[in-house]
Amino acid sequence: LANVGPRGDLASTGFCLAKPGEQYVVYQPGGEAFTVSGLRPDVSYHYELYSTAKHQVVATGQRKASGSTESFDPTGETVVLYLTCSPSQ
């Protein structure tokens, strides 16, 4: 995370630290679906959704970007998304 910087323009929430195409930390205070842009198409990313209310990771996985923008749905939870390019990329 040492190389990320403020990039509110890369998340529909407006709250984003990023090294575009590589790493993202996005805060979603409203619990609604949100988008992250600046991704590299056809590249796999690892993600974790951390619930600020439960103080735990509530979802994790791999996602291959189908384009430069991807959607995430925290299902009503206030979350922080950590999204990083998978090591093999």
Side-chain angles (χ1 to χ4, degrees), residues 12-59:
S12 62
T13 67
F15 302 105
C16 181
L17 297 173
K19 179 179 178 186
E22 300 293 325
Q23 283 185 314
Y24 301 80
V25 178
V26 179
Y27 175 57
Q28 171 48 302
E32 297 149 0
F34 62 97
T35 59
V36 178
S37 59
L39 303 176
R40 295 186 292 164
D42 296 322
V43 170
S44 291
Y45 289 88
H46 173 76
Y47 70 89
E48 291 183 0
L49 285 172
Y50 177 85
S51 168
T52 61
K54 295 177 181 173
H55 305 286
Q56 66 184 23
V57 174
V58 293

Side-chain angles (χ1 to χ4, degrees), residues 22 39 42-49 57 59-66 70-72 81-89:
E22 300 293 325
L39 303 176
D42 296 322
V43 170
S44 291
Y45 289 88
H46 173 76
Y47 70 89
E48 291 183 0
L49 285 172
V57 174
T60 185
Q62 292 286 123
R63 183 178 291 193
K64 189 171 190 173
S66 58
E70 287 290 317
S71 295
F72 293 87
L81 167 71
Y82 177 59
L83 184 66
T84 186
C85 187
S86 294
S88 62
Q89 304 294 318

